[in-house]
Amino acid sequence: MPDVQALVNDFVLKLKRRKIEGSHASARHTAELLRSVISQQRMPHTNQAGALIDAVKAVGEQLIAANPVELAVGNIVRRVLHIIREEDLSSTATAIEGLGLSAGSDDDDEGQHVDHPALSAAALAAAARSTLRAPSLQTLLEDIPRSAVTPQPPSSGGDSEGKSKSDKNLRSRKLKHDVIEAINELIQDIDTCHEQVSEQAVEHIHQNEVILTFGRSRTVKEFLCAAKEKNRSFRVFVAEGAPRYQGHVLAKELVGKGIQTTVITDSAVFAMISRVNMVIVGAHAIMANGGVIAPVGINMVALAAQRHAVPFVVVAGSHKLCPLYPHNPEVLLNDLKSPSDLLDFGEFSDCMDFGSHGGSPLLHVVNPAFDYVPPKLVSLFITDTGGHNPSYVYRLIADYYSADDLVVKRRSTS
Amino acid sequence: MDRRVPRTVIDPKFRQVGFVPPGATPPPARSHSVPNDARSSSELSLSGSSLSPVMIPPPRHASADGLPSVVRSAASPVPIPASPLRRDTVQIPIGSYNPSESLLGSSPMMSPSRQLDAVSEFSDDVPTSARLGRSGSGKFASSFPSSSGEMMTMKITGGGGGGNTPKSSLTTASVVKALPGVSEKDRGALIEVQNEGISKPQKQKTQKLRGVPFKRLSVQRRLPAKESGEAVKPSASSGGALPALKQGKVVKPSSQKKDGPQVTAPVASSEKKVVDRIPDKDRKKDVPHPRMQFDDKHRVEKAKRRAVVNQSEARNRVELFRHLPQYIHGTQLPDLESKFFQLDPMHPSVYKVGLQFLSGDISGGNARCIAMLLAFQEAIKDYSTPPEKVLVRDLTAKIGCYVSFLIECRPLSISMGNAIKFLKNRIAKLPHTLSESEAKSTLISDIDRFINEKIIIADKVIVRHAVTKIRDGDVLLTYGSSSIVEMILLYAHELGKQFRVVVVDSRPTLEGQALLHKLVAKGLNCTYTHINAISYVMHEVTRVFLGASSVLSNGTVYSRVGTACVAMVANAFQVPVLICCEAYKFHERVQLDSICSNELGDPDVISKVPGRNDLNHLHSWADNENLQLLNLIYDATPSDYISMIITDYGMIPPTSVPVIVREYRREHLWI
């Protein structure tokens, strides 16, 4: 336990100091951290899932509080919670099946005491899920309890029935093992989402296309490179993305791949957009309403694209899907960075002094990190699960998150 | 202070853009107000006659602190308490043309005071001639947008002189240029007269300004006596260049000076005929020249052979911009500097200005235009017609040569193009009867007048207009560094309005920092940000004030790159966008995008970020042929993003630009 706590503290500190930035890095780190939290979590005899969920929530709360703007952290915490619930559900389902097969068996206390409530809860949850899960004619026609059996993750093999009679130690390890397995899959997903996104590149980029992108996003880079590898020839305008100027890096990488690249200043976006066929940008997070949190300046690009009827495409891995609906995102989901990016402190330092002029300095320097692009400006999301409309995002989110986890907060009663 | 809802800034009720029959001159209020002064009423007839069809009355509702109100109160017997403010304002606007303070020592037009000096210097050379052109205007604020500032002071100081003008001075701004050619010259002389009043240019400006009206008054009193003698000269000299009809017309107003208001109609009609005749002849000329297209190899070769500056073409050109010139930056400068003392065809002052353009020491539409004109003035001063040549032809060729040199240094801005067109026109219209020295002094005073009326005074008028749109509690956003916007902000601050300024800046020029310096030094409350954060700051903004390099005939505003983005975001947030632009920058060209005509800056500045040494990813970018850097200088803002254009003729919607261009360009050719 202590070493986990140390890990958590270390990560929290890194998040607070913005040592870890970028949704990919923070998502990965979060997943790995939660994995070790779960593996170190001592399992009680009863309500194992609840214990895991509590532990994850406790850590997740800290992580989210450390950098509330880094939405990927919260996303991964919720994903892990969702995984635990799913695994719990499936193991309960198999237990029920086992129960049905060997009726009146000497199951352990959990099976005995929580038998009926567990069954009904599982049934209800499954029912709730089945409404969100891919509806098939069968689930529509058949009864609810039976549908609960249908979503069986592959991780819980058929041999679980045999093991259901084995001792509790094994069972508790089983759930943990499954959850860790699933988290490993999640980490793998996060790592490979670029490839899955970029596989779709050829479907969207045609010959002689002129593409505008903004700043640097790894997903965008992979996307463009993938199209280039399929021998599409196209031209890319890269807006440099002040004040981080990551566009320079992207331009260098693209040129390394042999793509015709032109670097423009951010202010020239409107001037150039009339000659652009498509805007492809990365995102910091995709909100549940289809809005996008992205590096500062992208709203301007999106507006310009809308003006010239240029498709505005956002490519992002599914770990950037955030189940929250934004409220005043320009302010609440934003980070104000140091003014030194924009102005030299030497020149204006006396004007920025809060001590003079009655507490409010003469000069304010605003250097936000993110922009919010409303869903109506986005033409298409390309995620690792395919292309989606902004209006469909809420549905994607239902696949990845359970509604109970939207607010990550430990229950005060426990 | 008027307290209306922010969105109703542009109240259509008060803007009348339309055609006013030429005879139907100034609003009745005006002519009634000066019934006893015969001379000024004849001025009025003159102004009326040349009043061009567009009349844009200034917003009469303009609040209690704006200019009109002062005028209004001037009309009433109540003395005005606000005098100090008034006096100060005249001096602010001139102040901000200097492109960068560091340059003060070297460039010809530098600090405000020096600018004034320069003007007075030049006009000192002008022989004193008739003053009929402008002398009356001192009394008659409404005929001159220009004189309004001084007018005010005059009234305040108790000068009187019958300047009862209930209408704002901006209504009939055209008068200045509407006077036919000859009297133009005289008006040039008047500048000199004005400056005579200032015995020592080093005097404090407020004193200067106080001095002017007094002097003016004395001029006016002196005038009737002199007039008879002097009126001869202009009419004689006008013979060559102007059509006979015009000449007759010129004499008319001056001879009928004492007649009174009834002259208005006949003069107007004769004037009208002249107006009608010109376009027929000039219509073909009016079509703008096709610009040099740099992807036309043949022509580029030809141009290169003539070039003074040896520019090496930049590598890695952006395909879309093949038609625009782009040279390797910094290669020409040392070469040119070494040539400085060899100067074969080039006048040193032109050379100097060219170098300053090249190095970017002078930038900004007005500053460049003024620098160029002053350099031409110097050149004209030192000019002597070679034997067996005609001044008109030779000087035109010379100027053409200078211009092409300046183009090589940096492509001309549209404002400069207009100024050159004006100057060439003046040269072409020089009467043959003039001696060389007379012709030269005429041209020199013409240039002075252009700078004074079209830029300096026009700016003051714009400031007066714009300031009526600033209210307490406003948050004003501006982009880059526009000299006129700076004047507006400083003036509003001096008026004591409480507002905040958001200065938006962008790479690579970061001009906004210079503006920020000036504003903060004056104690304005500022917020600084980069253009990327425009969506973030736009929430709190109530007005956007933007400068422009040019306003094109289809309402497109051609300005510093990024202006379009700012206007677009402002439009998306339903914040009114006010463009401040002098009318001499209007152009009849049309443009839909920012690509067909633009200027390419040095691409190297994009690869380097000052103060960020860690960013050298694009270090040797030119070595890779797949990588291009594009540094656009301008962009075109579509007219639908623009709520209003504030110009010296009043506040107009972008749709009225072609009207202004058509109606007022004519007098451009004319002045």
Side-chain angles (χ1 to χ4, degrees):
Chain A
M1 256 328 242
D3 53 341
V4 174
Q5 199 51 45
L7 276 179
V8 170
N9 287 341
D10 185 43
F11 187 55
V12 163
L13 215 59
K14 276 184 181 164
L15 280 176
K16 272 187 180 159
R17 292 181 179 163
R18 309 296 194 257
K19 284 270 179 356
I20 297 179
E21 278 193 311
S23 30
H24 178 255
S26 38
R28 227 194 107 98
H29 279 99
T30 313
E32 282 168 356
L33 181 70
L34 291 179
R35 186 178 59 186
S36 50
V37 165
I38 289 170
S39 67
Q40 305 248 341
Q41 177 70 32
R42 198 170 294 146
M43 300 296 280
H45 300 308
T46 57
N47 196 12
Q48 294 177 328
L52 275 186
I53 286 172
D54 274 352
V56 169
K57 272 190 174 174
V59 174
E61 209 180 346
Q62 290 180 54
L63 297 185
I64 291 170
N67 186 357
V69 175
E70 194 56 89
L71 293 164
V73 173
N75 296 349
I76 295 301
V77 171
R78 292 183 186 103
R79 287 281 283 275
V80 169
L81 290 175
H82 183 62
I83 286 170
I84 298 171
R85 287 180 203 276
E86 290 269 292
E87 295 298 336
D88 181 39
L89 212 62
S90 66
S91 66
T92 321
T94 48
I96 293 162
E97 253 185 14
L99 212 70
L101 283 174
S102 55
S105 70
D106 55 341
D107 216 329
D108 57 84
D109 44 0
E110 190 206 0
Q112 291 292 349
H113 294 294
V114 208
D115 197 346
H116 287 287
L119 179 66
S120 59
L124 277 176
R129 249 178 327 117
S130 72
T131 54
L132 284 177
R133 271 287 155 88
S136 69
L137 270 183
Q138 193 196 2
T139 50
L140 285 176
L141 291 170
E142 310 246 330
D143 278 337
I144 289 164
R146 289 204 53 185
S147 73
V149 188
T150 38
Q152 265 204 20
S155 55
S156 60
D159 59 341
S160 61
E161 291 167 32
K163 280 180 186 170
S164 67
K165 284 177 193 166
S166 60
D167 60 349
K168 53 195 170 185
N169 205 5
L170 205 65
R171 274 222 29 207
S172 72
R173 229 179 256 153
K174 169 103 183 62
L175 175 68
K176 207 155 140 184
H177 178 260
D178 286 349
V179 167
I180 287 172
E181 235 3 50
I183 293 176
N184 280 337
E185 264 175 47
L186 174 65
I187 292 173
Q188 210 177 353
D189 273 355
I190 293 171
D191 284 340
T192 59
C193 70
H194 304 296
E195 289 150 37
Q196 283 168 336
V197 170
S198 53
E199 268 171 25
Q200 306 163 53
V202 272
E203 295 171 28
H204 296 282
I205 297 175
H206 63 74
Q207 197 75 14
N208 280 336
E209 188 134 43
V210 181
I211 291 165
L212 178 86
T213 182
F214 185 97
R216 178 182 181 271
S217 150
R218 191 173 148 197
T219 324
V220 170
K221 188 199 99 186
E222 305 265 335
F223 193 79
L224 296 176
C225 290
K228 181 69 188 173
E229 274 158 24
K230 296 273 163 58
N231 291 324
R232 292 281 151 83
S233 80
F234 51 93
R235 173 180 293 276
V236 181
F237 285 112
V238 181
E240 56 184 6
R244 287 165 59 89
Y245 305 107
Q246 292 291 299
H248 292 185
V249 185
L250 178 67
K252 200 179 177 189
E253 288 165 345
L254 292 181
V255 165
K257 297 274 179 187
I259 299 173
Q260 283 277 320
T261 310
T262 306
V263 181
I264 60 172
T265 53
D266 301 330
S267 47
V269 161
F270 189 89
M272 297 312 299
I273 200 115
S274 59
R275 297 298 184 275
V276 167
N277 301 127
M278 178 156 59
V279 179
I280 301 180
V281 294
H284 175 69
I286 299 171
M287 306 309 288
N289 65 345
V292 180
I293 307 283
V296 66
I298 286 199
N299 191 38
M300 184 173 79
V301 179
L303 282 169
Q306 187 201 35
R307 157 91 191 181
H308 291 272
V310 177
F312 185 85
V313 178
V314 177
V315 291
S318 57
H319 59 274
K320 294 185 181 178
L321 283 173
C322 180
L324 302 177
Y325 284 84
H327 168 68
N328 198 6
E330 290 92 343
V331 178
L332 297 181
L333 292 176
N334 216 333
D335 239 359
L336 288 175
K337 301 263 180 192
S338 156
S340 64
D341 290 340
L342 309 185
L343 271 187
D344 285 337
F345 271 128
E347 291 177 67
F348 293 96
S349 49
D350 46 335
C351 305
M352 290 191 260
D353 185 8
F354 273 83
S356 59
H357 298 99
S360 71
L362 208 52
L363 177 62
H364 294 266
V365 176
V366 181
N367 184 12
F370 301 112
D371 242 357
Y372 171 71
V373 182
K376 63 172 182 180
L377 297 181
V378 181
S379 315
L380 188 69
F381 287 108
I382 300 180
T383 69
D384 39 7
T385 57
H388 304 288
N389 242 15
S391 55
Y392 185 72
V393 170
Y394 84 99
R395 186 63 183 75
L396 278 181
I397 280 164
D399 284 349
Y400 291 115
Y401 305 97
S402 76
D404 308 339
D405 302 326
L406 291 187
V407 180
V408 181
K409 216 166 216 173
R410 253 181 309 178
R411 274 167 293 169
S412 51
T413 49
S414 68
Chain B
M1 189 95 352
D2 88 22
R3 283 245 169 245
R4 275 169 306 125
V5 197
R7 299 296 185 249
T8 57
V9 205
I10 326 128
D11 198 337
K13 242 196 299 182
F14 297 100
R15 196 204 296 123
Q16 303 163 355
V17 178
F19 289 86
V20 177
T25 22
R30 192 148 55 114
S31 41
H32 294 325
S33 69
V34 275
N36 50 350
D37 193 315
R39 246 173 19 76
S40 67
S41 57
S42 80
E43 277 300 314
L44 178 124
S45 73
L46 219 163
S47 69
S49 64
S50 53
L51 187 79
S52 90
V54 195
M55 249 194 46
I56 299 128
R60 254 161 284 171
H61 60 291
S63 50
D65 55 319
L67 156 77
S69 71
V70 177
V71 181
R72 211 181 301 134
S73 51
S76 71
V78 187
I80 302 158
S83 55
L85 284 180
R86 281 295 144 196
R87 240 171 267 139
D88 290 346
T89 56
V90 184
Q91 73 187 24
I92 334 159
I94 318 168
S96 25
Y97 282 118
N98 32 343
S100 63
E101 257 105 9
S102 60
L103 269 184
L104 286 185
S106 58
S107 94
M109 40 79 45
M110 298 284 86
S111 71
S113 60
R114 281 194 59 182
Q115 223 175 73
L116 271 190
D117 294 352
V119 171
S120 60
E121 235 174 79
F122 292 134
S123 43
D124 280 346
D125 300 347
V126 186
T128 316
S129 53
R131 291 172 182 106
L132 70 140
R134 190 155 159 192
S135 52
S137 69
K139 299 182 163 189
F140 197 58
S142 54
S143 59
F144 269 113
S146 42
S147 59
S148 62
E150 291 112 288
M151 254 327 277
M152 234 63 72
T153 6
M154 189 178 79
K155 281 172 201 152
I156 289 154
T157 47
N164 286 346
T165 50
K167 277 237 87 184
S168 136
S169 61
L170 310 151
T171 319
T172 54
S174 62
V175 188
V176 181
K177 289 130 286 162
L179 290 167
V182 190
S183 47
E184 285 316 314
K185 185 180 137 200
D186 309 325
R187 221 173 301 132
L190 193 120
I191 295 170
E192 180 246 324
V193 170
Q194 264 175 286
N195 286 322
E196 269 176 13
I198 313 151
S199 52
K200 285 174 198 160
Q202 292 87 354
K203 262 189 191 173
Q204 259 202 333
K205 257 178 241 155
T206 44
Q207 282 176 335
K208 243 188 212 177
L209 294 165
R210 251 178 243 152
V212 173
F214 282 130
K215 188 68 199 173
R216 276 260 196 96
L217 285 179
S218 66
V219 169
Q220 283 157 13
R221 277 181 211 124
R222 256 191 346 219
L223 203 115
K226 278 194 177 183
E227 199 179 282
S228 52
E230 282 169 345
V232 183
K233 206 174 175 186
S235 54
S237 57
S238 72
L242 295 164
L245 205 133
K246 236 188 198 175
Q247 189 189 346
K249 196 225 130 223
V250 171
V251 181
K252 230 188 219 167
S254 52
S255 61
Q256 287 173 344
K257 279 233 147 146
K258 275 148 200 140
D259 280 7
Q262 73 270 21
V263 204
T264 310
V267 174
S269 60
S270 71
E271 172 74 9
K272 181 67 185 162
K273 275 176 215 154
V274 180
V275 169
D276 283 342
R277 274 173 55 159
I278 288 173
D280 293 328
K281 262 201 276 175
D282 288 352
R283 192 154 288 159
K284 284 227 173 75
K285 271 194 237 160
D286 287 355
V287 178
H289 252 276
R291 309 178 122 213
M292 169 96 169
Q293 300 294 316
F294 281 78
D295 47 354
D296 182 348
K297 285 220 177 68
H298 183 65
R299 288 196 57 190
V300 169
E301 280 302 311
K302 240 164 87 185
K304 257 197 182 156
R305 258 177 274 137
R306 285 189 313 235
V308 180
V309 190
N310 286 321
Q311 310 242 42
S312 34
E313 280 269 326
R315 288 182 293 169
N316 288 7
R317 304 282 312 277
V318 180
E319 199 63 45
L320 270 174
F321 290 97
R322 291 271 172 201
H323 60 288
L324 299 176
Q326 183 162 34
Y327 305 110
I328 294 180
H329 197 78
T331 50
Q332 331 87 319
L333 200 57
D335 179 43
L336 271 178
E337 271 166 354
S338 65
K339 274 191 198 162
F340 189 80
F341 293 106
Q342 305 165 13
L343 9 107
D344 26 329
M346 218 48 65
H347 189 274
S349 60
V350 178
Y351 211 88
K352 188 171 153 197
V353 169
L355 288 182
Q356 282 167 336
F357 286 175
L358 192 60
S359 61
D361 287 347
I362 297 184
S363 62
N366 285 340
R368 276 169 74 200
C369 190
I370 291 176
M372 180 192 72
L373 285 174
L374 291 180
F376 285 168
Q377 210 174 32
E378 284 289 321
I380 290 173
K381 217 184 259 176
D382 295 346
Y383 172 82
S384 63
T385 322
E388 296 156 19
K389 285 199 174 164
V390 190
L391 179 134
V392 173
R393 296 249 181 89
D394 190 53
L395 192 56
T396 312
K398 261 264 159 47
I399 297 284
C401 175
Y402 297 155
V403 169
S404 59
F405 168 74
L406 291 180
I407 292 177
E408 286 165 29
C409 292
R410 190 180 159 185
L412 294 185
S413 68
I414 288 175
S415 56
M416 292 162 76
N418 282 343
I420 290 166
K421 206 191 277 172
F422 158 79
L423 182 61
K424 285 193 169 171
N425 243 295
R426 293 304 303 149
I427 295 174
K429 295 244 166 94
L430 275 181
H432 292 295
T433 50
L434 281 187
S435 73
E436 186 183 308
S437 64
E438 279 173 330
K440 275 162 65 177
S441 57
T442 313
L443 289 177
I444 287 168
S445 65
D446 276 343
I447 292 176
D448 272 337
R449 201 156 31 77
F450 187 88
I451 295 176
N452 199 31
E453 282 170 12
K454 291 288 187 182
I455 305 178
I456 294 174
I457 294 173
D459 280 350
K460 288 183 199 165
V461 176
I462 294 174
V463 167
R464 298 288 152 78
H465 277 311
V467 106
T468 61
K469 298 297 174 204
I470 301 179
R471 298 174 309 152
D472 277 350
D474 264 349
V475 179
L476 312 175
L477 185 140
T478 182
Y479 175 70
S481 172
S482 157
S483 57
I484 179 73
V485 172
E486 179 193 334
M487 292 178 209
I488 292 166
L489 296 176
L490 292 180
Y491 181 54
H493 183 65
E494 294 209 4
L495 287 182
K497 303 205 175 191
Q498 299 296 316
F499 60 94
R500 251 171 3 101
V501 182
V502 180
V503 178
V504 179
D505 208 349
S506 83
R507 284 237 309 140
T509 48
L510 296 177
E511 301 159 307
Q513 293 189 4
L515 176 67
L516 192 66
H517 262 297
K518 292 176 193 160
L519 296 183
V520 166
K522 295 271 181 186
L524 271 82
N525 211 331
C526 295
T527 302
Y528 178 83
T529 190
H530 272 195
I531 190 164
N532 288 21
I534 185 81
S535 314
Y536 181 86
V537 289
M538 197 54 86
H539 287 281
E540 48 178 350
V541 172
T542 55
R543 300 263 191 297
V544 176
F545 280 95
L546 297 172
S549 170
S550 177
V551 178
L552 306 181
S553 183
N554 58 343
T556 302
V557 170
Y558 186 70
S559 188
R560 167 67 61 190
V561 66
T563 305
C565 277
V566 174
M568 171 186 69
V569 175
N571 190 57
F573 284 81
Q574 273 119 41
V575 178
V577 178
L578 290 80
I579 302 282
C580 307
C581 182
E582 300 86 353
Y584 86 102
K585 292 177 176 174
F586 285 23
H587 199 273
E588 71 268 26
R589 217 175 52 208
V590 290
Q591 202 173 321
L592 287 173
D593 59 18
S594 318
I595 290 168
C596 291
S597 116
N598 209 321
E599 187 183 331
L600 300 180
D602 175 21
D604 274 327
V605 294
I606 291 188
S607 64
K608 296 178 208 118
V609 183
R612 294 284 293 272
N613 295 326
D614 51 319
L615 286 168
N616 51 0
H617 308 285
L618 303 176
H619 175 56
S620 52
W621 62 276
D623 296 340
N624 196 324
E625 60 174 17
N626 279 333
L627 180 61
Q628 296 111 19
L629 266 55
L630 177 65
N631 182 8
L632 279 183
I633 303 288
Y634 297 108
D635 67 7
T637 310
S639 59
D640 47 347
Y641 290 155
I642 295 157
S643 319
M644 177 163 85
I645 297 172
I646 305 178
T647 156
D648 31 341
Y649 296 126
M651 299 185 255
I652 57 169
T655 45
S656 295
V657 173
V659 186
I660 296 268
V661 168
R662 196 187 62 204
E663 298 305 326
Y664 288 89
R665 214 172 55 84
R666 194 170 297 139
E667 27 140 318
H668 254 297
L669 306 176
W670 246 34
I671 309 185

